Amino acid sequence: MSSDSEILLNDGLSGDSLVDYGLSEEQKERIRFSQVGGKKNFVHMERINGRITNVIRGLELHTRVFNVEEQKKIVRCVHNLQRMGQKGQLRERTYSEPRKWMRGKGRVTIQFGCCYNYAVDKKGNPPGIIRDEEVDPLPPLFKQMIKRMVRWHILPPSCIPNSCIVNIYDEGDGIPPHIDHHDFVRPFCTVSFLSECNTLFGSNLEILGPGEFFGPVSIRLPVGSVFIINGNGADVAKHCVPAVRSKRTSITFRKMDDSKLPFKFSPDPELLRIEPIYYFPLDRSRVHQHYTHRTYSHASKASYSHNRRRYDQYQYEESNMYRTETSRRMEESFIDQNVYFPPDDSKFRNQLRDTRKRSRR
């Protein structure tokens, strides 16, 4: 049994009614990776400086990255950090719990790696990284999360995060429209826990009231998912989180620009050289031998049949990783159920209808 400070690459797999099959940890990790879903080709066209531009190009949504058991561990870790912050056991600028003076305001934040200033502070420091302030380093569990995202090709090894901010939302909390500060390089990512929420995108987002916003694109972020913000989606479009309907926790991981590193910052050796894993097909003969040389009761045979079907499904999903880039692009639609376009936008309704017709051929 792993502790709350550790995420095993195959954590939760055996507890999901899947027989071990005598597979190595590397093979189990590949099966876990094969379960990850994704969406990359987000499209919303707006006129920017006289040119029609896809303002959300560069966004990616990776689902099922962290399973239920892993989510529980991460949320427990966050709650422990919150209690430490409330007791003054974290550095002063690490933990912030402002007074909830109006709807949409007052979410708790915990930042690691660097002290980020959202607005001009009492000392006159402008928004951005405050280089002469210290906060606590990344917790061990968060570094495990970073390693997984790089190893599973979700974050590039050229942009390994060295800071993060934890957002703890109560019902009614949100984040107003903004573009993330360029003291942080692109891409960066947000991992979601406890409840789903919608993030709005657009070059212009309307503020309708406290915690209430309107934008042309709404992207649903499932729990356990990793949302990558990059390209135009990070630098052209603004984004915001309307007031959430239930408790939510998110962790946003970002890499600091080298010229903005805190003066006393030291790179973490664990995060210096993380490489993506590479795959080769699983050896199905080992699974076959594992069962053909043993005698099973009727119940065991039924269990084997059930789990073999599950294993075959994992193999099928894993084989999708080896499709050519051309065939992947042909199969992936640029319209996704996670993206909402206003009903009066006939252009995108027509594109959606045409895409569905093509998918049925």
Side-chain angles (χ1 to χ4, degrees), residues 57-241:
R57 178 176 55 83
L59 300 183
E60 299 180 11
L61 180 62
H62 300 264
T63 57
R64 301 189 298 275
V65 178
F66 298 99
N67 65 25
V68 173
E69 291 303 315
E70 292 163 353
Q71 292 173 40
K72 291 178 181 178
K73 290 181 182 179
I74 296 166
V75 171
R76 282 199 300 266
C77 176
V78 169
H79 288 169
N80 288 336
L81 291 168
Q82 183 177 15
R83 285 192 289 270
M84 291 174 64
Q86 292 169 337
K87 295 177 181 179
Q89 296 173 344
L90 300 176
R91 288 179 178 168
E92 181 181 358
R93 298 299 296 265
T94 299
Y95 184 79
S96 174
E97 187 170 342
R99 181 174 60 88
K100 295 184 183 297
W101 58 279
M102 67 179 294
R103 178 178 169 81
K105 302 287 187 180
R107 75 185 188 281
V108 172
T109 60
I110 315 175
Q111 47 188 346
F112 298 99
C114 71
C115 177
Y116 176 72
N117 212 21
Y118 287 93
V120 177
D121 63 16
K122 299 176 183 178
K123 299 179 181 179
N125 293 312
I129 295 174
I130 305 178
R131 303 185 69 190
D132 58 357
E133 289 277 3
E134 288 188 76
V135 297
D136 287 283
L138 288 164
L141 183 61
F142 290 9
K143 290 188 285 186
Q144 293 277 350
M145 296 172 66
I146 291 171
K147 290 177 183 178
R148 170 173 291 185
M149 291 186 288
V150 175
R151 283 178 61 79
W152 288 11
H153 302 258
I154 295 171
L155 285 172
S158 60
C159 193
I160 297 175
N162 51 16
S163 72
C164 78
I165 183 165
V166 180
N167 290 295
I168 302 173
Y169 301 80
D170 282 328
E171 182 181 353
D173 291 341
I175 299 179
H178 67 284
I179 290 177
D180 279 53
H181 203 285
H182 281 82
D183 282 359
F184 301 101
V185 299
R186 277 56 169 150
F188 52 93
C189 72
T190 294
V191 191
S192 299
F193 303 99
L194 290 181
S195 64
E196 295 182 349
C197 86
N198 292 329
T199 299
L200 304 183
F201 281 84
S203 61
N204 290 293
L205 299 177
E206 297 181 42
I207 300 177
L208 305 178
E212 301 298 328
F213 314 112
F214 175 80
V217 179
S218 177
I219 300 179
R220 179 175 58 86
L221 306 183
V223 294
S225 68
V226 179
F227 187 49
I228 302 293
I229 304 178
N230 196 16
N232 289 347
D235 297 328
V236 177
K238 295 179 180 179
H239 60 278
C240 67
V241 177

Side-chain angles (χ1 to χ4, degrees), residues 21 302-314:
Y21 293 112
S303 176
Y304 163 67
S305 177
H306 168 74
N307 287 295
R308 183 54 186 265
R309 287 195 298 272
R310 289 177 59 86
Y311 178 79
D312 289 342
Q313 177 63 25
Y314 291 137

